[in-house]
C-alpha cells in the first residue's frame, strides 16, 4: 500500500499542534467575544480562558487537531495557513459545541482535568452555549469574505448533521441489548469521522484544491476520524487518567457501548455472556465490577479488534493522502498527525 514518507527533520506533532494553536487562538477568542455575555462566559470557561467567575485563567486547552488538519490541508494543495484560518476557527467551534453537548449527555463531570461546563453552570446553560458555538461557526465562515465561504458553510452544516445523527445512534445504543459491530462502526464514522473529514475537505477547499484533492483529503480525514474513535474508546477504558483527564474506566462506569465493548459483546464467547450480564443491570457498576468488565472485554477480543481496526484505517487514510499530490512538507505533517491520533499513549 502506498503511503507518505516522513521527511527527515520534519516537525514533531507537538510543534505542529502548537503552531496551529498559535494561529487559531486569536481568531477563536475574537469570535467568542462576539457572543452575548452569558454564553460567552460559558464558552470561555470551556476553552479554559477563564474560571467560573469569569476571572482570567490558563487551563490546559485541547490539542487543536482539527484546526491543524484544516491548515495543513490548505497547505497540501499549495496554499497557505492564513488562507484557511476562518475555516480552522469554524471547525474548532463545531468540535467544542459537540464536546459541551457530549458532556451533558454522558454526564461526564471532568474534561481536561477540570469540571465540565454543565457541572458548573447547569444543563440548560451549557446546552445553549454549545448551540451558540455551532451557529457562530457558520457566522465566522460567512463573515470571512472568502470565495469558498458558502461551500464551507455547506460542508460544516453537513458535518454537524452527520455528527448529530451519530450522537443520536450512540444514545439509542444505551437502551438496546443487541448491537452489530458494523452498526456501531457506522455510528462512530458519523459522530467522529464526519468532522475530521470536513476539516480536511474545508481546508483543501479554502486552499483552492481541485475536486479530486478535496475528495481524497475528505476520505483521509474520515478514515482517520474513525481510527481516532477506536483509539479514543480504548483510552476511555484503559487510558491513563493523567493523560485523558477522565477517571480510569470512565466509559465503563456508565455502561457505555463503545466500539471495543460492542465487539466483545458480539463475540459469542463465555466472556461475552458474562459481560452482557454485567451490562444488563441498572445500578451503577461497583469498582470491582468495572475492573471485571474491562478484563472481560479484553478476553472477548474487543480490545484487539479495535486496535486492529485502527491500524487498518490508518493505512487506508495514508493511501488516500498519497493520491492527493500534496505539497511535501504538508504531507509529512499530516502523516505525523495521523500517527499521533492513532497512538494509544497520545
Amino acid at each position: 500500500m502506498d503511503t507518505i514518507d516522513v521527511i527527515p527533520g520534519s516537525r514533531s506533532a507537538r510543534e505542529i499542534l502548537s503552531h496551529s494553536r498559535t494561529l487559531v487562538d486569536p481568531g477563536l477568542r475574537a469570535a467568542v467575544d462576539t457572543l452575548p455575555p452569558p454564553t460567552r462566559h460559558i464558552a470561555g470557561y470551556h476553552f479554559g480562558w477563564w474560571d467560573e467567575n469569569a476571572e482570567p485563567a490558563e487551563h490546559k486547552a485541547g490539542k487543536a487537531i482539527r484546526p491543524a488538519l484544516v491548515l495543513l490541508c490548505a497547505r497540501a494543495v499549495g496554499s497557505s495557513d492564513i488562507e484557511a484560518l476562518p475555516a480552522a476557527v469554524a471547525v474548532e467551534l463545531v468540535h467544542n459545541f459537540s464536546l459541551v453537548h457530549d458532556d451533558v449527555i454522558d454526564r461526564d463531570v471532568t474534561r481536561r482535568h477540570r469540571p465540565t461546563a454543565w457541572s458548573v453552570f447547569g444543563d440548560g446553560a451549557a446546552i445553549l452555549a454549545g448551540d451558540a458555538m455551532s451557529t457562530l461557526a457558520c457566522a465566522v465562515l460567512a463573515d470571512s469574505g472568502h470565495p469558498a465561504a458558502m461551500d464551507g458553510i455547506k460542508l460544516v452544516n453537513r458535518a454537524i448533521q452527520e455528527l448529530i445523527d451519530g450522537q443520536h445512534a450512540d444514545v439509542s445504543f444505551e437502551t438496546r441489548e443487541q448491537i452489530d459491530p458494523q452498526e456501531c462502526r457506522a455510528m462512530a464514522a458519523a459522530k467522529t469521522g464526519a468532522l475530521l473529514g470536513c476539516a480536511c475537505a474545508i481546508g483543501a477547499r479554502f486552499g483552492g484544491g481541485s475536486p479530486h484533492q478535496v475528495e481524497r483529503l475528505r476520505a483521509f480525514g474520515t478514515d482517520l476520524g474513525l481510527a481516532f474513535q477506536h483509539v479514543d474508546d480504548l483510552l476511555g477504558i484503559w487510558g491513563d487518567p493523567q493523560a485523558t483527564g477522565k477517571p480510569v474506566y470512565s466509559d465503563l462506569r456508565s455502561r457505555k457501548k463503545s466500539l471495543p465493548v460492542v465487539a466483545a459483546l458480539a463475540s459469542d464467547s463465555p466472556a461475552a455472556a458474562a459481560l452482557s450480564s454485567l451490562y444488563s443491570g441498572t445500578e451503577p457498576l461497583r469498582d470491582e465490577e468495572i475492573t471485571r468488565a474491562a478484563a472481560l472485554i479484553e478476553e472477548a477480543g474487543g480490545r484487539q479488534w479495535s486496535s486492529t481496526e485502527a491500524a487498518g484505517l490508518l493505512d487506508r487514510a495514508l493511501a488516500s493522502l498519497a493520491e492527493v499530490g500534496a505539497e511535501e512538507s504538508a504531507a509529512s505533517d499530516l502523516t505525523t498527525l495521523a500517527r499521533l491520533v492513532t497512538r494509544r499513549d497520545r
Side-chain angles (χ1 to χ4, degrees):
M1 179 176 293
D2 292 334
T3 59
I4 302 292
D5 292 328
V6 177
I7 300 171
S10 59
R11 296 189 296 175
S12 69
R14 183 185 297 273
E15 290 169 331
I16 296 165
L17 294 175
S18 177
H19 176 69
S20 170
R21 177 61 74 193
T22 299
L23 288 177
V24 171
D25 264 2
L28 189 60
R29 285 177 178 263
V32 170
D33 278 345
T34 68
L35 293 173
T39 49
R40 175 184 176 273
H41 180 191
I42 298 170
Y45 171 86
H46 169 78
F47 281 114
W49 302 335
W50 42 76
D51 63 19
E52 62 273 21
N53 299 313
E55 294 295 328
E58 290 297 333
H59 291 283
K60 185 178 180 181
K63 293 184 179 68
I65 288 170
R66 289 157 189 81
L69 289 172
V70 174
L71 301 180
L72 287 174
C73 285
R75 279 183 45 215
V77 298
S79 188
S80 68
D81 292 340
I82 304 303
E83 190 70 18
L85 269 178
V89 170
V91 166
E92 184 71 342
L93 285 166
V94 171
H95 173 54
N96 282 277
F97 132 74
S98 74
L99 295 183
V100 170
H101 282 204
D102 276 356
D103 287 340
V104 175
I105 293 167
D106 296 339
R107 311 314 289 169
D108 285 336
V109 296
T110 58
R111 178 176 292 279
R112 300 167 186 159
H113 307 281
R114 67 197 297 243
T116 48
W118 75 266
S119 69
V120 174
F121 301 99
D123 290 3
I127 289 168
L128 292 171
D131 291 344
M133 284 191 270
S134 173
T135 59
L136 184 58
C138 290
V140 167
L141 292 170
D143 292 344
S144 71
H146 194 284
M150 185 54 66
D151 283 350
I153 291 171
K154 291 177 182 178
L155 285 167
V156 163
N157 281 335
R158 174 180 163 185
I160 290 173
Q161 291 302 319
E162 289 186 57
L163 189 157
I164 291 171
D165 186 48
Q167 182 65 66
H168 186 274
D170 192 22
V171 170
S172 75
F173 289 172
E174 295 176 8
T175 56
R176 289 175 49 188
E177 292 186 8
Q178 299 295 324
I179 302 166
D180 183 88
Q182 294 309 310
E183 187 179 8
C184 190
R185 190 178 186 275
M187 174 276 294
K191 183 179 174 182
T192 306
L195 188 55
L196 266 76
C198 169
C200 294
I202 198 172
R205 184 66 186 85
F206 266 61
S210 69
H212 171 76
Q213 289 175 315
V214 171
E215 186 51 43
R216 286 294 81 204
L217 285 168
R218 181 202 289 277
F220 164 78
T222 300
D223 283 336
L224 185 60
L226 184 52
F228 178 99
Q229 189 61 58
H230 274 285
V231 174
D232 215 49
D233 285 353
L234 291 169
L235 292 172
I237 300 173
W238 292 283
D240 178 357
Q242 292 299 315
T244 65
K246 294 186 177 183
V248 67
Y249 301 144
S250 60
D251 283 356
L252 299 185
R253 290 184 185 277
S254 58
R255 292 187 173 88
K256 188 175 180 65
K257 293 187 176 76
S258 59
L259 286 158
V261 172
V262 169
L265 288 170
S267 68
D268 193 25
S269 65
L275 179 64
S276 179
S277 178
L278 274 179
Y279 259 60
S280 64
T282 57
E283 295 297 317
L285 294 178
R286 300 187 300 272
D287 286 348
E288 62 270 22
E289 290 175 322
I290 292 170
T291 302
R292 174 67 174 149
L296 289 169
I297 294 164
E298 185 155 14
E299 184 180 340
R303 188 174 189 174
Q304 183 58 54
W305 178 77
S306 265
S307 293
T308 301
E309 284 285 301
L313 286 159
L314 173 61
D315 285 345
R316 199 165 78 177
L318 293 178
S320 292
L321 180 58
E323 297 175 18
V324 172
E327 187 273 332
E328 191 176 24
S329 66
S332 178
D333 285 349
L334 285 167
T335 301
T336 297
L337 280 193
R339 290 175 176 160
L340 169 72
V341 303
T342 55
R343 212 177 62 206
R344 284 289 312 283
D345 62 346
R346 71 167 190 267

